[in-house]
Amino acid sequence: MTNNPFKAGVYDGVPTYHVTADDRLRVVGSFERAYCAAALLVPGLQKTVASAVHRRIRHLDRVATVVTFEDHGQDFLRWELDAKGTVIGCEPFQASIWCGNVVIDHEKLVVGDTLRYKTPGDASSTDSIRYPLVRIERKEGGAA
């Protein structure tokens, strides 16, 4: 990792960085904890960006399990679950569709499983994702 997590790339041998608040806010959502810590040390960090970094840290504190789906060209590859199995993050797209659903038996998932879930407000029915899981990462200290 670089000392400045807002590094955007290297063009013609010159490193470039996200410097506007809008650009920085856009990338904070994908930061892991080490990048959040480094971001808070960037000189001149905008207040809105610092607030977004703190929100990202609080979100990461809630993540208990991360599941990754086999890639078949779908718009989502990874879900973040809280300790109760509720989807609290979805990448790279469709968070507005999947967040809030509750994964059934999330603590028993193993690689190769297909995931079953319930939609909030519809306690009687379940549905499943047809893409098998290729990775399951259980986080220490993920809170509900």
Side-chain angles (χ1 to χ4, degrees):
M1 184 188 79
T2 178
N3 290 335
N4 187 334
F6 296 108
K7 187 173 184 178
V10 178
Y11 299 98
D12 277 338
V14 178
T16 61
Y17 298 87
H18 297 290
V19 293
T20 68
D22 285 343
D23 287 343
R24 288 178 170 181
L25 289 170
R26 198 172 6 268
V27 299
V28 164
S30 64
F31 281 3
E32 293 296 329
R33 185 170 299 284
Y35 278 86
C36 289
L40 293 173
L41 299 175
V42 170
L45 186 67
Q46 298 93 333
K47 288 181 181 180
T48 55
V49 178
S51 294
V53 171
H54 287 291
R55 276 192 307 277
R56 179 68 180 164
I57 291 169
R58 286 191 302 275
H59 172 82
L60 291 171
D61 286 344
R62 292 181 51 216
V63 175
T65 305
V66 178
V67 296
T68 304
F69 299 95
E70 191 172 276
D71 188 354
H72 289 269
Q74 71 272 23
D75 286 341
F76 59 93
L77 294 173
R78 182 180 124 127
W79 283 2
E80 297 170 328
L81 311 177
D82 69 10
K84 295 179 181 178
T86 302
V87 180
I88 60 172
C90 175
E91 294 177 359
F93 305 109
Q94 295 190 345
S96 62
I97 295 171
W98 300 110
C99 286
N101 288 316
V102 179
V103 176
I104 299 167
D105 293 332
H106 64 93
E107 63 281 342
K108 297 177 184 174
L109 291 173
V110 295
V111 171
D113 280 353
T114 53
L115 181 145
R116 294 181 314 121
Y117 67 93
K118 291 190 290 189
T119 303
D122 186 8
S124 62
S125 67
T126 64
D127 208 343
S128 64
I129 302 295
R130 67 179 177 202
Y131 313 114
L133 298 174
V134 295
R135 184 171 181 209
I136 300 167
E137 182 182 352
R138 304 203 194 283
K139 306 280 186 170
E140 297 251 348

